[in-house]
Amino acid sequence: MSQAVSEQLFSEIFITDQLEHRRIERADFLKEKIALQDLASRMVTDPDAVLPRFVELAMQ
């Protein structure tokens, strides 16, 4: 793989520069607390559901 191709792939994968321009949303601490309580509860009652629920919450 040539140097030019690897630099192009690098710039497509790593978007650090673009992250600086993203709008920052205010933290919703109540929502985060409820999500953590939900995950903790699922760890006890249904451990296999924790990861799918975590991904679901992360995508919100």
Side-chain angles (χ1 to χ4, degrees), residues 44-57:
V44 174
T45 60
D46 189 8
D48 291 336
V50 173
L51 186 56
R53 179 64 177 148
F54 178 79
V55 172
E56 183 182 314
L57 290 168

PDB file of all heavy atoms in Angstrom, residues 44-57:
ATOM      1  N   VAL A  44     -28.653  -7.776  37.086  1.00  0.00           N
ATOM      2  CA  VAL A  44     -29.124  -8.726  38.091  1.00  0.00           C
ATOM      3  C   VAL A  44     -30.175  -9.653  37.505  1.00  0.00           C
ATOM      4  O   VAL A  44     -30.132 -10.867  37.703  1.00  0.00           O
ATOM      5  CB  VAL A  44     -29.698  -7.969  39.318  1.00  0.00           C
ATOM      6  CG1 VAL A  44     -30.329  -8.921  40.305  1.00  0.00           C
ATOM      7  CG2 VAL A  44     -28.620  -7.143  39.982  1.00  0.00           C
ATOM      8  N   THR A  45     -31.133  -9.094  36.765  1.00  0.00           N
ATOM      9  CA  THR A  45     -32.280  -9.883  36.314  1.00  0.00           C
ATOM     10  C   THR A  45     -32.075 -10.581  34.972  1.00  0.00           C
ATOM     11  O   THR A  45     -32.614 -11.655  34.753  1.00  0.00           O
ATOM     12  CB  THR A  45     -33.537  -8.993  36.215  1.00  0.00           C
ATOM     13  OG1 THR A  45     -33.294  -7.936  35.279  1.00  0.00           O
ATOM     14  CG2 THR A  45     -33.900  -8.431  37.567  1.00  0.00           C
ATOM     15  N   ASP A  46     -31.317  -9.946  34.060  1.00  0.00           N
ATOM     16  CA  ASP A  46     -31.153 -10.512  32.722  1.00  0.00           C
ATOM     17  C   ASP A  46     -29.813 -10.065  32.138  1.00  0.00           C
ATOM     18  O   ASP A  46     -29.761  -9.182  31.277  1.00  0.00           O
ATOM     19  CB  ASP A  46     -32.313 -10.039  31.831  1.00  0.00           C
ATOM     20  CG  ASP A  46     -32.352 -10.740  30.494  1.00  0.00           C
ATOM     21  OD1 ASP A  46     -31.575 -11.700  30.289  1.00  0.00           O
ATOM     22  OD2 ASP A  46     -33.172 -10.333  29.639  1.00  0.00           O
ATOM     23  N   PRO A  47     -28.712 -10.668  32.599  1.00  0.00           N
ATOM     24  CA  PRO A  47     -27.374 -10.229  32.173  1.00  0.00           C
ATOM     25  C   PRO A  47     -27.150 -10.253  30.654  1.00  0.00           C
ATOM     26  O   PRO A  47     -26.425  -9.422  30.133  1.00  0.00           O
ATOM     27  CB  PRO A  47     -26.433 -11.212  32.862  1.00  0.00           C
ATOM     28  CG  PRO A  47     -27.214 -11.809  33.969  1.00  0.00           C
ATOM     29  CD  PRO A  47     -28.650 -11.772  33.553  1.00  0.00           C
ATOM     30  N   ASP A  48     -27.812 -11.171  29.955  1.00  0.00           N
ATOM     31  CA  ASP A  48     -27.633 -11.242  28.506  1.00  0.00           C
ATOM     32  C   ASP A  48     -28.234 -10.037  27.786  1.00  0.00           C
ATOM     33  O   ASP A  48     -27.883  -9.758  26.639  1.00  0.00           O
ATOM     34  CB  ASP A  48     -28.261 -12.520  27.946  1.00  0.00           C
ATOM     35  CG  ASP A  48     -27.509 -13.768  28.378  1.00  0.00           C
ATOM     36  OD1 ASP A  48     -26.308 -13.646  28.701  1.00  0.00           O
ATOM     37  OD2 ASP A  48     -28.122 -14.850  28.412  1.00  0.00           O
ATOM     38  N   ALA A  49     -29.119  -9.316  28.440  1.00  0.00           N
ATOM     39  CA  ALA A  49     -29.768  -8.159  27.821  1.00  0.00           C
ATOM     40  C   ALA A  49     -29.009  -6.859  28.056  1.00  0.00           C
ATOM     41  O   ALA A  49     -29.372  -5.830  27.490  1.00  0.00           O
ATOM     42  CB  ALA A  49     -31.196  -8.026  28.350  1.00  0.00           C
ATOM     43  N   VAL A  50     -27.959  -6.904  28.875  1.00  0.00           N
ATOM     44  CA  VAL A  50     -27.253  -5.673  29.230  1.00  0.00           C
ATOM     45  C   VAL A  50     -26.568  -5.044  28.018  1.00  0.00           C
ATOM     46  O   VAL A  50     -26.730  -3.845  27.765  1.00  0.00           O
ATOM     47  CB  VAL A  50     -26.231  -5.920  30.362  1.00  0.00           C
ATOM     48  CG1 VAL A  50     -25.375  -4.684  30.598  1.00  0.00           C
ATOM     49  CG2 VAL A  50     -26.953  -6.309  31.629  1.00  0.00           C
ATOM     50  N   LEU A  51     -25.805  -5.809  27.274  1.00  0.00           N
ATOM     51  CA  LEU A  51     -25.068  -5.243  26.149  1.00  0.00           C
ATOM     52  C   LEU A  51     -26.001  -4.679  25.069  1.00  0.00           C
ATOM     53  O   LEU A  51     -25.805  -3.539  24.635  1.00  0.00           O
ATOM     54  CB  LEU A  51     -24.101  -6.263  25.555  1.00  0.00           C
ATOM     55  CG  LEU A  51     -23.177  -5.749  24.460  1.00  0.00           C
ATOM     56  CD1 LEU A  51     -22.366  -4.546  24.947  1.00  0.00           C
ATOM     57  CD2 LEU A  51     -22.258  -6.845  23.988  1.00  0.00           C
ATOM     58  N   PRO A  52     -27.032  -5.423  24.637  1.00  0.00           N
ATOM     59  CA  PRO A  52     -27.952  -4.824  23.654  1.00  0.00           C
ATOM     60  C   PRO A  52     -28.619  -3.544  24.165  1.00  0.00           C
ATOM     61  O   PRO A  52     -28.773  -2.578  23.430  1.00  0.00           O
ATOM     62  CB  PRO A  52     -28.991  -5.919  23.414  1.00  0.00           C
ATOM     63  CG  PRO A  52     -28.303  -7.177  23.768  1.00  0.00           C
ATOM     64  CD  PRO A  52     -27.361  -6.832  24.886  1.00  0.00           C
ATOM     65  N   ARG A  53     -28.976  -3.534  25.457  1.00  0.00           N
ATOM     66  CA  ARG A  53     -29.604  -2.332  26.020  1.00  0.00           C
ATOM     67  C   ARG A  53     -28.589  -1.196  26.085  1.00  0.00           C
ATOM     68  O   ARG A  53     -28.942  -0.037  25.813  1.00  0.00           O
ATOM     69  CB  ARG A  53     -30.156  -2.643  27.404  1.00  0.00           C
ATOM     70  CG  ARG A  53     -30.799  -1.475  28.088  1.00  0.00           C
ATOM     71  CD  ARG A  53     -32.031  -0.987  27.347  1.00  0.00           C
ATOM     72  NE  ARG A  53     -32.635   0.097  28.088  1.00  0.00           N
ATOM     73  CZ  ARG A  53     -33.276   1.111  27.552  1.00  0.00           C
ATOM     74  NH1 ARG A  53     -33.435   1.161  26.242  1.00  0.00           N
ATOM     75  NH2 ARG A  53     -33.784   2.062  28.278  1.00  0.00           N
ATOM     76  N   PHE A  54     -27.358  -1.493  26.428  1.00  0.00           N
ATOM     77  CA  PHE A  54     -26.309  -0.480  26.473  1.00  0.00           C
ATOM     78  C   PHE A  54     -26.140   0.178  25.106  1.00  0.00           C
ATOM     79  O   PHE A  54     -26.059   1.397  24.996  1.00  0.00           O
ATOM     80  CB  PHE A  54     -24.998  -1.090  26.939  1.00  0.00           C
ATOM     81  CG  PHE A  54     -23.850  -0.120  26.959  1.00  0.00           C
ATOM     82  CD1 PHE A  54     -23.712   0.777  28.004  1.00  0.00           C
ATOM     83  CD2 PHE A  54     -22.926  -0.102  25.932  1.00  0.00           C
ATOM     84  CE1 PHE A  54     -22.661   1.690  28.013  1.00  0.00           C
ATOM     85  CE2 PHE A  54     -21.882   0.795  25.934  1.00  0.00           C
ATOM     86  CZ  PHE A  54     -21.758   1.686  26.985  1.00  0.00           C
ATOM     87  N   VAL A  55     -26.100  -0.640  24.070  1.00  0.00           N
ATOM     88  CA  VAL A  55     -25.961  -0.111  22.698  1.00  0.00           C
ATOM     89  C   VAL A  55     -27.167   0.744  22.349  1.00  0.00           C
ATOM     90  O   VAL A  55     -27.028   1.833  21.774  1.00  0.00           O
ATOM     91  CB  VAL A  55     -25.764  -1.265  21.694  1.00  0.00           C
ATOM     92  CG1 VAL A  55     -25.825  -0.752  20.273  1.00  0.00           C
ATOM     93  CG2 VAL A  55     -24.461  -1.982  21.956  1.00  0.00           C
ATOM     94  N   GLU A  56     -28.342   0.274  22.704  1.00  0.00           N
ATOM     95  CA  GLU A  56     -29.573   1.032  22.442  1.00  0.00           C
ATOM     96  C   GLU A  56     -29.525   2.402  23.116  1.00  0.00           C
ATOM     97  O   GLU A  56     -29.844   3.425  22.497  1.00  0.00           O
ATOM     98  CB  GLU A  56     -30.774   0.227  22.942  1.00  0.00           C
ATOM     99  CG  GLU A  56     -32.114   0.844  22.681  1.00  0.00           C
ATOM    100  CD  GLU A  56     -33.235  -0.014  23.251  1.00  0.00           C
ATOM    101  OE1 GLU A  56     -33.207  -1.250  23.052  1.00  0.00           O
ATOM    102  OE2 GLU A  56     -34.117   0.558  23.903  1.00  0.00           O
ATOM    103  N   LEU A  57     -29.114   2.415  24.374  1.00  0.00           N
ATOM    104  CA  LEU A  57     -29.021   3.679  25.107  1.00  0.00           C
ATOM    105  C   LEU A  57     -27.956   4.591  24.505  1.00  0.00           C
ATOM    106  O   LEU A  57     -28.136   5.814  24.420  1.00  0.00           O
ATOM    107  CB  LEU A  57     -28.710   3.408  26.575  1.00  0.00           C
ATOM    108  CG  LEU A  57     -29.832   2.772  27.396  1.00  0.00           C
ATOM    109  CD1 LEU A  57     -29.301   2.284  28.744  1.00  0.00           C
ATOM    110  CD2 LEU A  57     -30.982   3.746  27.584  1.00  0.00           C
TER     111      LEU A  57
END
